[in-house]
Amino acid sequence: MSQLMITARLLYRQGLYGLMAILGLTVGLTVALFAMIYAWQETHYDSHIPNAERLHLVDVRIAWPDRAVRVLATTPGALASAVKAANPDIEAAVRVWRQYSTINLPDAEDFSDIIAAADPAFADLVDLQMMSGDRSLIRDPSQVLLSTTMAERVFGHRDAVGQTVRIDEQDMTVAGIFKPWPTTSHISFDVLMNGQAALVRGRETVDSDWTSTRPTFTYLLLREGADATMLARRVEEIFLARYQTREPVPGGKPLDDVVDISLQAVADLHLNGKNYPWLNPPADTLKLAVFTAISVLIVAIACINHINMSTARSIERAREVAVRKLMGAERRHLVLQFLLEAALLAGGAFLLALVAVEVLADRAGTLLLTDLDLSVMAEPGFIAWTSALMTAVVLAAGAYPAWLASAYRPGRILSVHGQGRSRHSRMRTVLVVFQFSVSIVLATGAAVIWNQLIYARGADLGFEADNVILLYGVRRSPAFTIELTSRIDRAISGRPGIVSVSGTHSSPSWDYVAEADIRRATEAPEDRFTIGQVSVDLDFFDTLGIEPVAGRVFSEAYGADRGQWDLETRDTLNLPVVINERAARALGFQNSAAAVGEMLQFTVSSNYDRAAEIVGVVPDVHFESFKKIIQPMVYFPDPASFNLMMVRIDPTMREEAMQSIRNGWAEVLAGQAISSDFLSTALIEGYEAEAQELRTVTVLAILGIVIATFGQYGLAAYSAQSRRREISIRKVLGARVGDIVALFIWQFSKPVFAAMLVAWPVAFVATRLWLETFAYRVAINPLWFILAGLAALTVALATMAGHALKAARTHPVEALRYE
């Protein structure tokens, strides 16, 4: 207890130095706690599901020759029952389906949302947490379960259980209300119903489906001790024996050469790096590793502050150590004393950090694009993480100062009256260099990310994205899609504020392009190559403002173009296609004009293999993000495969145009809520990951500089205090205020200049590796590195300027009157 009281008094007497150290540690520990919460959530996904280690999702990898490899979690609907019947090691097999549906509200505007349908056992398998009602009632196809979020949206604050909700014009009875899925789950939906419910599309054929035509997720619960790898082979054998491909494998290869089945444990699903459609995205392991590493460096900077200020004051503490040794204190007692000081300092900083975490949790979650669940801090494992962190901080911040101060010899210290400068200034300089090196690397990284983001957002994409609205939810069967999109086109076109309307299979904001095989008609089949393909309406190029460089684009004026809207007769016509300039070169044409009028063999699938005529060539546009090289592209009219509509509006009549779209949509799809987005907004959102990286690195760079500034401030204050006599003597000998200030500037500039030399090569390598993830990127500019270094230098000099001026203006007599 006496040691504790002495420690508390000593910390209180430290004043400014103690305040700077505790503030630095508080900031560092706050960042560390956020990093730990984020890392805990990312590494403990789906931990709320019982037996998550035994519950597996069937994973399908398809490596079609000359096509991009696809990894899916969707399987044929008949797979679950087949593998369950053939394998006793499977305890349960359930299926889950997803689809977009419209929630019909009597007194408000309808809206679209993802609903899930499942085999009845699914709710028990994932231990669906109910707030009210009974999850077993999902066995009734007329019953539905809603999340608390959906129930409040539909029914407000009324009790929803027993009420009727209308979905896709079908009345369903609410059987229960379940808790929203945790943010740490690969699953997220607000509506759950039986897979045999009337509104579930394809329910009639799902039990016999071996073509994987709908998003069917197959979950297998393995028995204790079952070998997942061996079981995956058995599942693959069943899959390969019964799977019905829509087209033969090119080259006559067997199916097992292109299809690979694996079982992914739900507990490991988030960290396997696979981005499955319809499921929450996997962990960004690179972001997790980088954020964790930077957080460790921030904590290290904070610990260095304490070390620097402790060693800077070592002469002052040396008298204390000498006297205590003369009084009989052993070195181990002194080491314990200094470690106890570091522990109390870290403990105070930790309490402040906990308050900061509570206050800043929402903002940190926004920065990291996730919801941070602070309740994980009560988990035993997380407490162990925290204990290890605090132990590391105490040892890192206190071990070296404790060893240094306890090593002083009383006779030597007392004989020179404690005068002189610390012999360990070189170590302090090295640590200051490290602090500012980290800050400069982070500041340079922020500058590079910012410039790449500005470049990507402002670059010419090759088309006009402004004032184009995307309308989703128009895909049906081929014939119905043609009829539906044509009716929507006619219903919206010609209304106030509408410039043009077009349908398409894909949007540039999706960062995805389907692929097909193509070759010149005069070439052999083996000379075909893979090309990106997009089916478009006749007004597509006009809507996006894309002008041909040779030939023409599609138009109502040409019978072959119009004829593609007739499913029965279009196969008798040549398919008109428009290619981009890269495709023209890939096909071997000397120039774009030479390609016009040439014939191609265009193979989308076995039932869509058409003779095609090139009617035009357009520029290479960025139909995918800047991370991907523009590929050869072919555009062709195929209204049977449209997924969305594009509407260009008059920007001077925006309100009228939006109302025109709503009215036209309601005429055709009165029971389906409109789902829309601006193309320009969707494109910007495509770079949200880079924007989030920019925000995170910028904040961490600022915090790193701030923490380093705390250390500089304390060192400058101590330097000014300890050099009062030196400065006074210089002034007596004729030094001016400017000379003294220059002396301080040079002293505190040298570590920052050294930090620049250390940081710049590291920053160059790191930013170059990051930029290499983009096919189209900015060139590295040396000015970014210089500005980051100058920013650190400016902050360092501004921090010590006040102390330098105060020391320089002090009258010599105040320091020398007792000499």
Side-chain angles (χ1 to χ4, degrees):
M1 180 60 71
S2 61
Q3 287 282 83
L4 189 63
M5 294 296 295
I6 292 172
T7 299
R9 285 197 292 267
L10 287 171
L11 288 175
Y12 178 77
R13 287 173 53 193
Q14 286 186 15
L16 176 66
Y17 310 107
L19 179 63
M20 292 295 101
I22 200 169
L23 285 178
L25 277 178
T26 298
V27 175
L29 288 174
T30 300
V31 174
L33 286 174
F34 279 131
M36 289 167 60
I37 294 170
Y38 178 65
W40 180 273
Q41 291 187 179
E42 292 295 291
T43 55
H44 288 75
Y45 253 61
D46 295 305
S47 58
H48 62 284
I49 296 178
N51 302 313
E53 296 80 9
R54 292 196 292 128
L55 184 62
H56 289 69
L57 185 64
V58 179
D59 170 293
V60 182
R61 181 181 183 273
I62 303 175
W64 214 254
D66 300 323
R67 303 271 183 93
V69 175
R70 291 187 299 157
V71 178
L72 307 171
T74 52
T75 62
L79 181 66
S81 58
V83 298
K84 174 69 171 64
N87 294 282
D89 283 340
I90 297 177
E91 190 173 310
V94 298
R95 300 164 299 178
V96 180
W97 301 273
R98 307 290 183 90
Q99 69 183 44
Y100 275 100
S101 288
T102 298
I103 315 297
N104 308 116
L105 302 181
D107 302 320
E109 185 175 349
D110 298 346
F111 63 91
S112 294
D113 205 347
I114 295 176
I115 69 167
D119 291 328
F122 175 74
D124 293 326
L125 198 64
V126 297
D127 192 23
L128 190 66
Q129 296 295 302
M130 303 299 296
M131 298 292 292
S132 60
D134 190 345
R135 69 190 184 197
S136 66
L137 293 178
I138 193 178
R139 298 181 185 280
D140 185 345
S142 67
Q143 307 273 17
V144 65
L145 303 179
L146 304 181
S147 71
T148 54
T149 305
M150 181 62 71
E152 184 173 348
R153 184 173 183 181
V154 175
F155 297 103
H157 296 291
R158 292 179 294 155
D159 183 9
V161 177
Q163 300 288 334
T164 298
V165 59
R166 194 167 180 80
I167 305 176
D168 287 345
E169 305 298 330
Q170 297 282 337
D171 288 334
M172 304 287 288
T173 301
V174 179
I177 308 299
F178 60 87
K179 291 182 180 180
W181 293 96
T183 56
T184 55
S185 176
H186 74 284
I187 306 171
S188 61
F189 52 77
D190 292 310
V191 179
L192 177 63
M193 64 186 66
N194 191 299
Q196 293 302 313
L199 59 88
V200 177
R201 301 178 194 122
R203 68 188 185 284
E204 300 89 352
T205 58
V206 65
D207 292 333
S208 58
D209 171 33
W210 282 103
T211 60
S212 191
T213 58
R214 58 201 298 257
T216 306
F217 299 88
T218 301
Y219 290 88
L220 304 178
L221 180 64
L222 276 56
R223 298 190 185 278
E224 292 282 0
D227 187 338
T229 303
M230 182 66 69
L231 189 57
R233 294 198 194 102
R234 297 176 186 165
V235 174
E236 182 174 307
E237 290 173 1
I238 295 173
F239 181 94
L240 294 174
R242 306 189 187 186
Y243 182 63
Q244 300 166 14
T245 60
R246 299 190 212 175
E247 54 183 303
V249 180
K253 292 184 177 180
L255 189 60
D256 58 0
D257 278 2
V258 298
V259 174
D260 181 50
I261 300 291
S262 64
L263 299 184
Q264 300 291 319
V266 167
D268 302 327
L269 207 58
H270 189 61
L271 294 175
N272 69 5
K274 299 178 180 180
N275 196 359
Y276 300 113
W278 296 88
L279 298 183
N280 287 338
D284 186 338
T285 52
L286 178 60
K287 182 178 80 172
L288 178 61
V290 170
F291 181 52
T292 303
I294 293 176
S295 301
V296 170
L297 293 176
I298 296 292
V299 174
I301 291 174
C303 292
I304 287 170
N305 275 355
H306 180 71
I307 294 172
N308 280 343
M309 285 183 278
S310 296
T311 55
R313 299 181 65 242
S314 59
I315 291 296
E316 180 182 323
R317 298 297 300 275
R319 297 195 193 100
E320 171 199 338
V321 170
V323 171
R324 294 187 67 182
K325 280 190 172 183
L326 290 175
M327 298 290 290
E330 298 181 13
R331 186 173 186 181
R332 60 187 176 87
H333 295 140
L334 296 171
V335 169
L336 178 62
Q337 175 69 51
F338 283 98
L339 288 176
L340 191 57
E341 288 181 25
L344 282 179
L345 193 72
F350 181 71
L351 294 177
L352 291 175
L354 289 178
V355 174
V357 166
E358 181 70 31
V359 173
L360 300 174
D362 289 341
R363 294 190 177 183
T366 301
L367 192 68
L368 294 169
L369 296 180
T370 188
D371 293 325
L372 295 177
D373 182 8
L374 301 188
S375 65
V376 303
M377 299 176 70
E379 296 281 347
F382 192 92
I383 294 174
W385 282 17
T386 306
S387 301
L389 170 68
M390 294 304 297
T391 301
V393 168
V394 170
L395 292 176
Y400 178 69
W403 172 82
L404 173 65
S406 63
Y408 285 123
R409 297 179 181 178
R412 180 177 181 184
I413 295 299
L414 297 177
S415 65
V416 298
H417 309 292
Q419 303 296 322
R421 209 177 295 172
S422 171
R423 296 178 292 110
H424 299 274
S425 59
R426 182 174 298 176
M427 174 61 74
R428 290 200 301 276
T429 301
V430 171
L431 295 178
V432 170
V433 169
F434 174 81
Q435 285 181 306
F436 279 100
S437 296
V438 173
S439 300
I440 292 170
V441 169
L442 292 176
T444 306
V448 172
I449 296 173
W450 183 78
N451 278 276
Q452 175 63 24
L453 195 59
I454 293 298
Y455 168 72
R457 288 180 173 178
D460 181 10
L461 300 176
F463 57 88
E464 299 173 9
D466 293 336
N467 304 309
V468 174
I469 298 176
L470 308 177
L471 305 179
Y472 307 109
V474 299
R475 184 68 179 268
R476 303 290 192 275
S477 64
F480 192 10
T481 299
I482 293 176
E483 178 189 354
L484 180 61
T485 54
S486 297
R487 289 173 59 196
I488 293 174
D489 192 332
R490 292 192 299 269
I492 297 176
S493 297
R495 290 179 180 265
I498 304 300
V499 177
S500 64
V501 181
S502 178
T504 179
H505 174 266
S506 182
S507 165
S509 61
W510 290 0
D511 195 26
Y512 165 77
V513 173
E515 294 178 332
D517 292 333
I518 200 168
R519 61 182 173 85
R520 295 174 71 167
T522 56
E523 294 178 340
E526 57 267 22
D527 292 329
R528 68 183 182 180
F529 64 93
T530 301
I531 189 171
Q533 54 98 356
V534 181
S535 59
V536 299
D537 204 343
L538 303 184
D539 297 319
F540 175 81
F541 295 105
D542 292 335
T543 300
L544 290 184
I546 302 174
E547 297 290 337
V549 296
R552 64 174 179 86
V553 293
F554 303 127
S555 170
E556 287 278 357
Y558 296 89
D561 297 4
R562 295 194 312 272
Q564 306 306 316
W565 266 249
D566 189 336
L567 277 178
E568 295 183 359
T569 63
R570 68 179 187 177
D571 286 347
T572 63
L573 304 173
N574 283 339
L575 176 67
V577 298
V578 172
I579 62 175
N580 66 353
E581 292 178 291
R582 285 179 183 256
R585 291 194 294 271
L587 287 165
F589 297 111
Q590 292 184 346
N591 53 58
S592 298
V596 177
E598 293 294 322
M599 297 300 297
L600 305 173
Q601 194 64 32
F602 181 45
T603 305
V604 177
S605 64
S606 58
N607 60 356
Y608 201 104
D609 189 355
R610 304 273 301 275
E613 179 184 358
I614 301 174
V615 299
V617 180
V618 294
D620 298 327
V621 303
H622 288 276
F623 216 87
E624 296 178 283
S625 77
F626 277 35
K627 289 188 174 182
K628 301 176 183 178
I629 295 176
I630 296 176
Q631 62 176 312
M633 292 282 293
V634 58
Y635 306 88
F636 63 103
D638 179 18
S641 62
F642 288 170
N643 282 314
L644 72 156
M645 307 292 290
M646 290 184 176
V647 183
R648 176 168 291 282
I649 65 173
D650 184 344
T652 64
M653 301 177 63
R654 175 164 294 195
E655 291 302 323
E656 295 91 335
M658 297 303 295
Q659 188 59 49
S660 293
I661 292 173
R662 287 191 290 268
N663 292 341
W665 182 274
E667 283 186 7
V668 181
L669 291 169
Q672 179 176 327
I674 189 169
S675 177
S676 63
D677 198 1
F678 276 92
L679 176 57
S680 56
T681 303
L683 289 169
I684 291 174
E685 290 174 351
Y687 291 97
E688 181 58 30
E690 287 73 32
Q692 182 266 340
E693 290 172 358
L694 172 62
R695 292 191 293 268
T696 302
V697 172
T698 300
V699 169
L700 292 176
I702 292 173
L703 291 179
I705 292 176
V706 166
I707 297 173
T709 299
F710 288 159
Q712 283 288 84
Y713 187 87
L715 288 176
Y718 181 76
S719 180
Q721 177 78 15
S722 62
R723 299 179 67 179
R724 290 176 63 199
R725 294 182 179 86
E726 173 195 341
I727 293 169
S728 297
I729 293 172
R730 288 178 179 272
K731 293 186 72 174
V732 169
L733 294 175
R736 294 167 297 182
V737 171
D739 298 327
I740 303 300
V741 172
L743 180 67
F744 270 84
I745 288 176
W746 177 239
Q747 175 190 348
F748 284 92
S749 296
K750 286 189 292 184
V752 182
F753 284 124
M756 292 182 195
L757 297 178
V758 172
W760 284 342
V762 176
F764 176 80
V765 172
T767 54
R768 187 181 64 177
L769 290 175
W770 184 82
L771 285 173
E772 285 178 354
T773 62
F774 293 85
Y776 303 92
R777 53 186 178 264
V778 293
I780 294 179
N781 190 338
L783 183 61
W784 303 336
F785 297 78
I786 296 172
L787 290 177
L790 290 178
L793 179 62
T794 301
V795 170
L797 297 182
T799 301
M800 52 71 60
H803 296 297
L805 284 172
K806 182 178 179 181
R809 290 174 177 172
T810 301
H811 201 282
V813 71
E814 294 182 15
L816 300 177
R817 59 180 140 187
Y818 298 114
E819 296 298 318

